[in-house]
Amino acid sequence: MRPLTDQDIRGSFVNCSKGEAKRLFVPRDLGERIWEDLDFLGWRDPGAPDRAYLVTERADQGRPVGVALRFQPARRGSRHRSMCSLCLTTHPRGGVSLMTARRAGAAGREGNSVGAYMCADLACSLYLRGRKVPESGMRIEESLTLDEQIARALGNLYAFLDKV
């Protein structure tokens, strides 16, 4: 992914107004990110425990595409494991959350939304590349190459974005 600026990010959102995009929290460490390891930029809003944001580049659209997400903070103490629908990383105890996005346009204004189970920290790219280790200490070993896993994760992400 190419480095994005604050302006690139704020102008990319498809499911919120320009005013909402202007007011949303954008990470201040954009210059320190290792962009070549990212397939998308995802972050949670430290001031709003139920909000997260995701921005990616879509070659077919020629510009970054961003979505504002809502999620229910995970309940602690759960003994089951959950799997992210993007990168297929499994996490124990709330490491995966149902992220919902208001649909773009009139459908979103009417309250329609779509959702997907994603890594709660939105670090899918880092899990795939082994730059971050899930709390369980490992990922499920796959026969796909890293490039194939990245392509699958992007395909899953784009399918979600197409629904927004």
Side-chain angles (χ1 to χ4, degrees):
M1 182 170 188
R2 74 173 173 87
L4 298 175
T5 65
D6 184 273
Q7 185 177 0
D8 292 333
I9 292 168
R10 291 185 190 282
S12 72
F13 287 91
V14 297
N15 68 337
C16 62
S17 70
K18 289 183 182 189
E20 290 170 320
K22 184 178 179 181
R23 292 185 302 273
L24 64 82
F25 171 81
V26 174
R28 290 166 178 56
D29 66 345
L30 296 176
E32 300 165 21
R33 300 280 173 139
I34 303 172
W35 292 95
E36 57 270 6
D37 284 347
L38 298 179
D39 304 305
F40 64 85
L41 175 65
W43 71 97
R44 291 171 58 170
D45 188 332
D50 66 337
R51 291 189 191 152
Y53 306 98
L54 187 151
V55 178
T56 190
E57 290 186 296
R58 299 266 322 242
D60 59 338
Q61 296 187 4
R63 64 177 184 85
V65 175
V67 292
L69 303 164
R70 296 256 181 183
F71 67 99
Q72 186 69 29
R75 296 182 309 233
R76 295 288 175 200
S78 177
R79 295 173 65 160
H80 72 282
R81 298 177 66 77
S82 300
M83 181 180 284
C84 173
S85 65
L86 301 182
C87 66
L88 305 186
T89 299
T90 60
H91 295 272
R93 290 178 274 141
V96 171
S97 294
L98 176 62
M99 303 277 184
T100 58
R102 185 175 63 206
R103 295 191 69 180
R109 288 189 294 277
E110 292 174 9
N112 296 327
S113 62
V114 296
Y117 286 94
M118 298 180 198
C119 294
D121 60 3
L122 296 168
C124 299
S125 301
L126 302 178
Y127 290 123
L128 286 174
R129 290 167 174 82
R131 303 278 192 264
K132 189 168 184 178
V133 178
E135 189 177 318
S136 62
M138 62 179 213
R139 287 190 71 234
I140 296 172
E141 192 170 326
E142 296 191 64
S143 60
L144 298 177
T145 67
L146 176 58
D147 288 340
E148 291 169 332
Q149 291 177 50
I150 292 168
R152 178 186 60 205
L154 285 173
N156 293 339
L157 174 60
Y158 296 164
F160 172 72
L161 292 175
D162 288 344
K163 292 175 188 173
V164 175

